Amino acid sequence: MRPTRWYALVAVGIGAGAVGYLITRASYADLPSPTLYAQISLFVLAIAEGYTATMTKARLEGRPGTRPIDPLVVARLVALAKASSIVGALAAGAYAGFLGWVGQLTSTTASSDVRTAVAGMAAGLALVAGALYLEWVGRVPEDPNDDDQ
């Protein structure tokens, strides 16, 4: 499995932003305002992944008070991290596209939606950061004796 590439996440975010902008522009009056529940759940996932990464790192390093971790569990956590980073990029991009449209409006509802969109972007970026940290923790260290040239 290859590490997640930053440019892939940027491409996903830009694509989601474009789609979010177009959908919002076409039907903003018909869409319900997003609630904070989605952003809260993204923040909770980001915190959970950061905590899992910290605990996994401690277990891999064999710190006192921790048990060894099964390598298959680490591989599953890395797979979770790769998927979560894409979800975070999708969310951040979609909220950025939404913000691109509602930021131009001057109504009271739009100003409330601006705050919601900013919180959504922050939550998506936090999920990306937590996922990338978890993925980084799960990497197999390079063998210095490996002469694979």
Side-chain angles (χ1 to χ4, degrees):
M1 185 181 314
R2 294 184 181 264
T4 303
R5 305 282 188 226
W6 66 269
Y7 51 83
L9 295 177
V10 169
V12 166
I14 290 172
V19 170
Y21 179 83
L22 292 174
I23 289 173
T24 305
R25 189 183 83 187
S27 58
Y28 178 69
D30 299 330
L31 293 173
S33 291
T35 63
L36 284 176
Y37 294 120
Q39 294 87 340
I40 291 170
S41 64
L42 288 174
F43 274 123
V44 168
L45 287 173
I47 291 168
E49 290 210 16
Y51 176 76
T52 302
T54 303
M55 296 311 301
T56 302
K57 184 177 182 193
R59 291 177 72 181
L60 285 171
E61 291 174 348
R63 290 189 190 155
T66 62
R67 298 179 314 179
I69 190 167
D70 185 18
L72 187 57
V73 171
V74 176
R76 288 177 180 162
L77 289 173
V78 169
L80 170 72
K82 286 185 74 68
S84 296
S85 64
I86 293 171
V87 169
L90 279 169
Y95 278 113
F98 181 70
L99 177 64
W101 178 255
V102 298
Q104 302 172 19
L105 305 176
T106 58
S107 69
T108 306
T109 305
S111 65
S112 172
D113 287 345
V114 165
R115 288 189 296 272
T116 303
V118 169
M121 284 177 45
L125 293 174
L127 182 57
V128 169
L132 290 178
Y133 180 51
L134 179 57
E135 184 180 336
W136 177 78
V137 165
R139 287 188 181 177
V140 176
E142 292 186 24
D143 187 6
N145 299 328
D146 190 14
D147 294 330
D148 196 22
Q149 295 179 347

